[in-house]
Amino acid sequence: MKLTERDRKILIVGGVAVGLFILFKFAIAPIFAYSQELSDKIEDLQFKYEKSVKIISERPAAEYELNELKSIGSGLDSRLIPSTNTNVAGAKLQQTLDSLLQRSRLSTRSKKILKNEERGGFVAVPVELSATGSLSELKDFLSRLLDDRMILHVKKLELRPENQRDPQKIFIEITVVGFVLKELP
């Protein structure tokens, strides 16, 4: 069978089209996809590099600020409960508060260490106390509490008469919070 000139041209154009399709499908498209993937990886690496350079350049300023904070904190850490263990800190705070109650002549009814709470870089150690006494004894206790070397915070204070016949004697419920440094991981 003899092909005409027109059939030959159609076969050549068809062969070239099939060849171009195969070349595009199996060579050019994968190369283009790979180059796009490499381009994304390069952008990601460049972003990470720039971020690392920025962090490294900010390090001296951060170290200076850290040293400043450490110098400020070194004076304040003596005002925290002297313990790293929160259970021991709760017991020490309870002893301190009991001593303050006794010096103020308040009668202790109960003492309870409550659940600790994390606050920033600190752990708040709350202690709940119940006591009885007079308003002047309570005033003395609160002034001793505020004058104590430790940083103490009165979270809750409730007063009510202990006996309706003797309104001079009051029942006191107070929650006092002391602080310890949070342990670093």
Side-chain angles (χ1 to χ4, degrees):
M1 174 166 145
K2 191 141 174 135
L3 294 176
T4 65
E5 189 66 31
R6 181 174 174 241
D7 291 338
R8 272 194 225 143
K9 285 181 184 179
I10 291 175
L11 281 175
I12 292 174
V13 169
V16 169
V18 168
L20 287 175
F21 174 76
I22 290 173
L23 179 68
F24 181 78
K25 178 77 174 171
F26 296 107
I28 295 174
I31 290 173
F32 181 74
Y34 182 69
S35 72
Q36 186 65 37
E37 184 181 325
L38 284 179
S39 176
D40 291 344
K41 285 183 180 180
I42 289 171
E43 274 185 38
D44 186 47
L45 286 174
Q46 187 172 4
F47 174 75
K48 288 179 181 177
Y49 171 75
E50 289 171 359
K51 189 175 177 182
S52 298
V53 167
K54 182 180 178 190
I55 289 171
I56 290 170
S57 69
E58 292 174 352
R59 183 178 178 161
E63 285 178 351
Y64 174 78
E65 190 173 329
L66 176 64
N67 290 334
E68 287 291 312
L69 289 172
K70 282 182 180 178
S71 67
I72 291 168
S74 67
L76 294 177
D77 66 352
S78 64
R79 300 202 57 208
L80 300 175
I81 301 172
S83 177
T84 54
N85 183 317
T86 55
N87 293 329
V88 173
K92 285 185 179 185
L93 177 59
Q94 203 173 38
Q95 287 175 338
T96 301
L97 294 173
D98 199 32
S99 169
L100 293 174
L101 284 169
Q102 287 175 2
R103 283 191 269 160
S104 300
R105 296 180 309 278
L106 287 168
S107 300
T108 306
R109 290 278 179 97
S110 68
K111 312 176 258 195
K112 182 168 75 172
I113 299 171
L114 302 176
K115 185 179 177 190
N116 301 328
E117 303 169 11
E118 287 190 23
R119 293 187 188 171
F122 300 96
V123 177
V125 181
V127 173
E128 184 179 73
L129 302 168
S130 297
T132 57
S134 67
L135 281 174
S136 62
E137 291 168 342
L138 174 62
K139 180 183 171 194
D140 183 50
F141 170 74
L142 290 175
S143 65
R144 289 177 192 270
L145 187 72
L146 293 174
D147 291 340
D148 195 79
R149 68 167 187 79
M150 284 191 285
I151 298 172
L152 299 174
H153 168 71
V154 176
K155 187 174 181 179
K156 176 182 111 177
L157 176 62
E158 292 180 6
L159 307 173
R160 66 178 180 269
E162 183 182 23
N163 184 346
Q164 295 295 334
R165 290 185 219 135
D166 185 10
Q168 298 298 325
K169 221 164 183 186
I170 56 173
F171 183 76
I172 304 157
E173 283 188 30
I174 186 168
T175 302
V176 178
V177 179
F179 300 91
V180 294
L181 280 174
K182 183 171 141 183
E183 289 186 47
L184 296 174

